[in-house]
Amino acid sequence: EPISFYCNEATAVDNYFQQAGAPSEELAASQPLAEHRSVYEALKARNIDVTLFRLEDEEGLGETAIGAHVPLTAEEQRTQLAAKPDSIFPNNSISFHELPTDVGKEISSKAGVKSDDAEIFTAAVLYPMCSGRRNEIPKSLLDSVKACASIIVKPYFSEGSDMNCLASWSVTCTTTSTIRAADSPGSLTILIDFRAFENIQDLASTAEKGQAWALEGTGSLNFSADGTAVFATVSQRCHPIPFHLLCEVLMINPANRFLIPQAVDAQGRCVYHTNVVGWVGDFGLCAWTRESLVFGKSSKLAHDLYTTAELFDKIVADMYPNALTLSLDQLTNFSGNAMYLRSVDGVSYVAMSWSAAEAMTGSGILERLNTVLAEMSAKKAPAVADGGFLQYPHLIVCRIPSIERLGGGSVRCLLAAS
């Protein structure tokens, strides 16, 4: 939850969705806070399991079975987050995964940890951020994540090799001071920490001073619902080396890694995050701004690291029979920054902003989307009168204009889920 919010000039350099300007104190404090709270309330009202992290406890939050909040009270955290307006977008810094058993056992084996009794392997991934986005996770939350981990995975560079070659990179898997598996029988948690890429000079002496290889979480990465495939577009926030190295750690088959050289907006400018261009959901449902995607060779890396247009189109057709195509105008209005969600009682939803839904009005997309979601659901979506577009009960539409304008991100960016 934001305690201050304004346009981050450091990120506005390549996030063209931000509108720079000095907001009033009232806008910086109250309006984005109300918008952010409305998203939380909208998810909770639909029985979606959601946790809100906020600096101070407040009566009236977390009173129902679904929806919880975690107070963060340390004064240093308040100071930290006050200077980090983009901490409102936690999906870029961290993601959470349930790993396939073979992946968990492989990582455990490399770390020398016996995992014969483990049936559930979970992972938290910490991502390398661009210079204007670092240190956004509150220390208490970061400490909690670290305390749960039995194994820590970090990137490693073979000194003297070509740093632009994927084969020069590998990972080290080490155990933490306390193996936590015994505390939770049958489960084991792994922390994948790629933040060293924020200054690869620390990893490779041949790197340019201060150079960063960013990979900004589920802003840069669109994981498939089962985690076996991932889509990404290259930008200053998504470098190919950490992308492919993370895929190696997660044992995502090279045939299921879809790295696209670039995505552009209506003015031909590079789009900073993949999750603005499109999203992927469950049950063969996705949406992409296909005309935004630019395919072709790169002068820096081998071409086989990239996806061709023909392969992308074939994969989308094969994996996503309910694929939706967005326009560049809809991209501009954050129609690509939506997220598939499922409630604890089996109802399927897609969450998006008011501007995103409005941009799709009249195109037939909202109607088709609502129909497909209804077919996916175990029961009928409840009628929740918390906004417009009530004729589409499987769409969660939230008004967040100041967050979009100042932050250059929308509803998907607010949710640290994968």
Side-chain angles (χ1 to χ4, degrees):
E1 185 172 273
I3 60 172
S4 68
F5 192 67
Y6 49 89
C7 180
N8 185 343
E9 293 183 0
T11 58
V13 172
D14 64 340
N15 180 349
Y16 304 110
F17 296 84
Q18 290 180 253
Q19 297 180 22
S24 67
E25 288 298 322
E26 180 180 359
L27 174 63
S30 63
Q31 188 171 328
L33 175 61
E35 293 172 5
H36 188 273
R37 186 72 60 81
S38 74
V39 175
Y40 168 75
E41 295 294 346
L43 299 180
K44 190 172 68 169
R46 290 164 175 84
N47 244 18
I48 292 171
D49 191 358
V50 55
T51 299
L52 174 68
F53 286 89
R54 56 197 313 270
L55 281 177
E56 295 180 10
D57 198 2
E58 181 175 327
E59 185 179 356
L61 285 178
E63 294 178 346
T64 60
I66 301 303
H69 69 288
V70 179
L72 308 170
T73 57
E75 185 60 32
E76 60 268 24
Q77 293 179 147
R78 172 175 291 280
T79 303
Q80 173 193 353
L81 296 185
K84 298 289 180 181
D86 290 331
S87 61
I88 195 175
F89 303 131
N91 74 308
N92 303 138
S93 298
I94 190 168
S95 65
F96 305 94
H97 307 259
E98 182 173 339
L99 301 177
T101 302
D102 58 339
V103 177
K105 289 186 178 296
E106 175 70 16
I107 295 175
S108 301
S109 176
K110 288 181 178 179
V113 175
K114 292 183 178 181
S115 59
D116 296 343
D117 296 331
E119 298 178 356
I120 299 175
F121 294 87
T122 58
V125 183
L126 299 176
Y127 292 94
M129 307 290 285
C130 73
S131 59
R133 293 289 312 273
R134 296 173 190 169
N135 301 316
E136 291 180 353
I137 303 178
K139 183 178 182 300
S140 60
L141 174 55
L142 193 58
D143 289 344
S144 296
V145 171
K146 291 179 179 178
C148 291
S150 299
I151 299 170
I152 297 179
V153 179
K154 292 186 177 182
Y156 173 78
F157 174 72
S158 299
E159 192 66 38
S161 303
D162 180 3
M163 63 186 302
N164 286 312
C165 177
L166 181 61
S168 302
W169 294 88
S170 58
V171 296
T172 60
C173 303
T174 58
T175 59
T176 56
S177 57
T178 303
I179 300 299
R180 304 284 299 180
D183 295 344
S184 303
S187 68
L188 189 145
T189 299
I190 298 165
L191 175 62
I192 302 171
D193 189 351
F194 269 30
R195 291 175 298 169
F197 280 113
E198 290 179 349
N199 188 346
I200 57 173
Q201 188 181 27
D202 294 339
L203 297 172
S205 61
T206 56
E208 295 179 12
K209 186 176 182 180
Q211 183 180 4
W213 284 2
L215 185 70
E216 294 192 339
T218 52
S220 297
L221 308 171
N222 278 347
F223 287 99
S224 64
D226 61 3
T228 62
V230 62
F231 299 82
T233 58
V234 176
S235 70
Q236 293 186 49
R237 316 289 189 92
C238 179
H239 191 282
I241 293 294
F243 166 82
H244 280 289
L245 191 60
L246 179 62
C247 289
E248 293 286 331
V249 174
L250 298 177
M251 292 176 63
I252 296 176
N253 191 307
N256 290 336
R257 307 174 193 174
F258 307 107
L259 184 64
I260 301 161
Q262 192 179 45
V264 297
D265 63 15
Q267 285 73 48
R269 301 170 299 189
C270 180
V271 177
Y272 75 111
H273 275 163
T274 309
N275 75 355
V276 179
V277 182
W279 55 271
V280 294
D282 209 347
F283 299 100
L285 185 61
C286 74
W288 286 101
T289 315
R290 177 61 178 83
E291 61 181 313
S292 169
L293 303 178
V294 179
F295 297 89
K297 294 184 178 181
S298 167
S299 60
K300 291 185 177 180
L301 294 164
H303 180 55
D304 60 5
L305 292 181
Y306 293 96
T307 299
T308 63
E310 294 76 15
L311 179 59
F312 176 83
D313 291 337
K314 182 179 186 303
I315 289 300
V316 170
D318 291 347
M319 292 178 61
Y320 297 97
N322 294 310
L324 305 169
T325 300
L326 305 175
S327 69
L328 288 174
D329 178 68
Q330 290 163 345
L331 179 152
T332 301
N333 287 281
F334 294 105
S335 298
N337 197 242
M339 186 175 187
Y340 170 83
L341 298 167
R342 195 166 178 85
S343 70
V344 296
D345 50 354
V347 181
S348 291
Y349 296 96
V350 167
M352 66 183 71
S353 72
W354 184 279
S355 63
E358 202 167 43
M360 291 185 282
T361 299
S363 67
I365 293 177
L366 298 180
E367 290 81 1
R368 183 182 174 194
L369 187 54
N370 189 71
T371 298
V372 173
L373 291 168
E375 293 171 352
M376 295 178 183
S377 299
K379 57 185 290 188
K380 186 178 180 180
V384 182
D386 57 1
F389 299 91
L390 299 181
Q391 68 271 40
Y392 309 118
H394 289 273
L395 304 184
I396 306 174
V397 182
C398 306
R399 292 181 181 268
I400 54 169
S402 65
I403 291 176
E404 290 179 323
R405 183 174 66 255
L406 297 173
S410 192
V411 170
R412 175 63 182 95
C413 299
L414 300 176
L415 307 175
S418 58

